[in-house]
Amino acid sequence: MDTTSPAQTDTRTPESAPRLGPEALGAEDLRIFGEIEAWRKGDSDAQDQRMRATYHVDKELAFRDSYQPPHPTILILHASVGSGHRSAAIAIAQDLCDLRDRQLPAFPDGSPLDPATRVVVADILAWGDHVFDGNKTATSFTGSTRPLYDLTWRYTFTGRALWGQGTFLNYVMWRKFTRYIGHIKPLAVIATHIMGANMAAGARTICKQHYPLVCVPTDYETEGLWPHKAADVFCLGNESMAETLRARHIAENRIAITGIPTRIDFRRSYDTAQVRERFGLPADKKIVLALAGATLPQPYVIFRQTLESVIPAFAGHPDLHLVMVCGKDADYAAHVRQTCAEHGLDNVTVLDYVNGMAALMAASDVIVTKSGGLTVTECLVSRTPMILVGRAYGQEKVNVNMLTNAGAAIHVTTARELVSQIDLIDQHPERLSSMVVNANLLRRPNAAHDIARCTLALTKLPADDVRHTVVTKKLAWTLFNFYWGDKPAHIR
């Protein structure tokens, strides 16, 4: 095979070439390998000539080859299920790029990253033979079947049947991704979603590589379908997560308590008065920020219905100002504005998609939201108290329990409870101050940086010291590998 990488066709030096961002690099790599995959399945001589001239690769692109890429690649995988997994991936990429671009000490010996290092963020669902709609698929677990999902998740996927790692899906549906891994030979892979972690573990086995695999759960619990035995390190949100991983036979040296990563803008300080002026919000009222601009249709339908029932109650709270963020759903934003007009409310502001959400959250006094892992972590980092709305299932139930037990959040399930809590906050604002103090015990604003440094430290270990699944002659071992765990702490 020729020694030009299909994922790095620009031969200019990094100093002279325009550098793509991590997500743009991921999209470009997907485009190129999609074109190569289509070419491999065709039989046009003219196409052969054009592709060989463009990418300088052999048509029989193998899972394993002798090619050595000119630049190291750190691959960060997420899945387009909601927005949290992607946000966490971007947060880690930002810190890696910062270490690279500023040539800061990155490795344990103090040396910096190679300036030509490619930091790539990719959606693993886009790399399959069938491109899944992650949000649509997730809806089946967040609608009417949520109680069943909760039972399955809590009593099976959190401690009994555990996924050690396997290669079945790599061979059947993610062959393009596996060829991609085989060719770019990543320095490390970081996964913020189960599917990305499993595909990276399987590709490592098939391609006989030794890159470290770092798993970053984006909730305060870890399902049993992560490739537990194949992961080198789990970067966890808090110590209680570590307790449940120990029941899954995870050694202490493979557990790092880093926190859940948030983007750099959530870690900055903001002038509250300036932010409120920017968004046209009053400076002398308490701001109640409601985050209703979700990408998942469920369970946010119920969440929005609850918020709509509460909006009229703000007529009796002139010292409070409600801010409704409706995201890209223009129809819903118009509906909320109409509701406010019908009730003659002048202390409600309806916003569409917001640029500068971190600043808005930091300038608010309390945030009304669902209990997703990334959202509640962003609230913690922003030092803003939370009211969590709706019945919580699965890992979100763990998020709620963790926050409410620590006194860092309030949980309500009905509109009446929400109105009651808003009344109490208006009457006793000191409750918010106590929640901020309690949340300080949970805040880990440097999580993304710690995960980046942890990953880079693993790349310096000898290959034999990096945990990876040994390929055996038994096909069943490489295709499927379940094992039995003990009861996790929260259901013992």
Side-chain angles (χ1 to χ4, degrees):
M1 181 183 297
D2 193 290
T3 58
T4 300
S5 168
Q8 188 74 26
T9 57
D10 194 334
T11 58
R12 292 172 292 177
T13 63
E15 292 76 19
S16 64
R19 173 168 279 162
L20 295 177
E23 286 195 290
L25 273 176
E28 179 67 3
D29 285 4
L30 176 61
R31 182 193 67 78
I32 291 172
F33 270 80
E35 193 172 353
I36 291 173
E37 195 71 5
W39 167 53
R40 290 182 64 255
K41 298 176 181 179
D43 56 4
S44 167
D45 292 337
Q47 177 77 341
D48 285 354
Q49 293 176 9
R50 186 183 74 82
M51 293 295 291
R52 292 177 194 276
T54 302
Y55 300 123
H56 307 281
V57 294
D58 191 281
K59 189 171 184 179
E60 297 300 324
L61 188 61
F63 291 138
R64 297 183 291 272
D65 59 50
S66 59
Y67 168 75
Q68 291 301 318
H71 307 303
T73 295
I74 299 175
L75 181 60
I76 308 173
L77 298 171
H78 69 92
S80 52
V81 180
S83 59
H85 306 289
R86 172 177 171 268
S87 293
I90 291 173
I92 299 167
Q94 286 178 337
D95 272 270
L96 286 168
C97 289
D98 185 58
L99 289 171
R100 177 197 64 194
D101 296 342
R102 297 169 60 194
Q103 286 294 279
L104 298 173
F107 297 99
D109 61 2
S111 60
L113 268 172
D114 183 337
T117 301
R118 303 169 70 248
V119 179
V120 179
V121 171
D123 177 7
I124 190 62
L125 298 184
W127 279 86
D129 291 347
H130 171 75
V131 179
F132 290 93
D133 183 332
N135 290 332
K136 183 177 179 180
T137 303
T139 300
S140 63
F141 298 102
T142 56
S144 59
T145 61
R146 293 206 84 187
L148 178 61
Y149 166 67
D150 185 50
L151 289 173
T152 305
W153 181 88
R154 197 168 181 81
Y155 294 100
T156 301
F157 291 151
T158 58
R160 271 57 168 198
L162 300 174
W163 182 235
Q165 178 249 312
T167 59
F168 177 77
L169 289 176
N170 290 85
Y171 282 120
V172 174
M173 296 187 64
W174 269 270
R175 295 176 68 87
K176 177 172 62 177
F177 174 78
T178 306
R179 295 182 195 281
Y180 172 62
I181 289 290
H183 199 65
I184 67 168
K185 299 177 176 62
L187 182 67
V189 175
I190 304 170
T192 65
H193 189 270
I194 294 170
M195 187 59 71
N198 279 293
M199 293 308 103
R204 183 172 61 180
T205 297
I206 294 169
C207 300
K208 294 185 177 180
Q209 295 186 21
H210 300 283
Y211 54 79
L213 172 59
V214 178
C215 295
V216 185
T218 57
D219 287 286
Y220 289 89
E221 182 52 285
T222 309
E223 294 97 325
L225 292 179
W226 286 86
H228 292 86
K229 285 188 174 181
D232 295 287
V233 167
F234 278 91
C235 292
L236 306 178
N238 57 21
E239 185 61 39
S240 66
M241 294 179 69
E243 181 63 20
T244 60
L245 277 189
R246 293 182 185 108
R248 303 171 200 188
H249 311 167
I250 306 300
E252 288 296 325
N253 63 354
R254 294 170 55 209
I255 295 174
I257 309 300
T258 59
I260 294 175
T262 55
R263 300 191 306 274
I264 288 176
D265 50 345
F266 281 96
R267 294 171 255 163
R268 295 180 177 136
S269 298
Y270 298 94
D271 185 292
T272 298
Q274 290 181 359
V275 174
R276 292 191 178 188
E277 182 179 3
R278 170 188 166 189
F279 287 100
L281 304 177
D284 58 344
K285 295 185 178 182
K286 285 186 170 53
I287 301 298
V288 180
L289 176 63
L291 304 180
T295 56
L296 286 175
Q298 287 285 2
Y300 279 87
V301 170
I302 299 175
F303 176 70
R304 287 177 170 181
Q305 290 173 348
T306 303
L307 288 178
E308 289 176 35
S309 301
V310 170
I311 289 174
F314 277 82
H317 294 285
D319 293 332
L320 301 181
H321 190 92
L322 173 65
V323 180
M324 290 278 290
V325 177
C326 300
K328 298 179 180 180
D329 193 338
D331 292 338
Y332 178 65
H335 170 71
V336 175
R337 290 188 179 99
Q338 179 63 33
T339 300
C340 294
E342 291 173 355
H343 289 87
L345 297 174
D346 60 1
N347 61 339
V348 179
T349 297
V350 182
L351 300 176
D352 297 297
Y353 181 81
V354 172
N355 285 314
M357 179 58 75
L360 180 58
M361 291 172 68
S364 301
D365 293 284
V366 63
I367 295 176
V368 181
T369 182
K370 288 289 294 175
S371 53
L374 246 295
T375 301
V376 300
T377 302
E378 289 168 351
C379 292
L380 288 173
V381 174
S382 300
R383 301 178 187 270
T384 310
M386 294 163 268
I387 300 178
L388 307 177
V389 179
R391 296 187 182 278
Y393 299 93
Q395 61 271 32
E396 288 192 358
K397 181 180 290 185
V398 179
N399 297 341
V400 168
N401 291 341
M402 184 270 295
L403 291 165
T404 55
N405 290 342
I410 298 168
H411 180 223
V412 301
T413 58
T414 66
R416 184 178 62 206
E417 286 181 286
L418 180 55
V419 170
S420 175
Q421 291 299 329
I422 290 173
D423 290 342
L424 289 173
I425 287 173
D426 195 14
Q427 297 167 13
H428 304 284
E430 65 275 9
R431 295 189 69 194
L432 297 179
S433 300
S434 65
M435 290 167 66
V436 172
V437 172
N438 294 333
N440 285 336
L441 301 175
L442 304 174
R443 293 177 67 252
R444 291 183 178 270
N446 298 318
H449 181 76
D450 292 342
I451 293 167
R453 296 295 295 271
C454 176
T455 301
L456 294 175
L458 287 174
T459 66
K460 290 298 185 180
L461 293 178
D464 290 344
D465 292 343
V466 177
R467 187 177 183 86
H468 58 278
T469 300
V470 178
V471 179
T472 70
K473 294 182 180 179
K474 296 181 179 179
L475 186 63
W477 174 267
T478 60
L479 290 180
F480 303 100
N481 183 15
F482 287 95
Y483 69 103
W484 203 252
D486 299 324
K487 296 179 181 178
H490 66 259
I491 58 173
R492 287 177 183 166

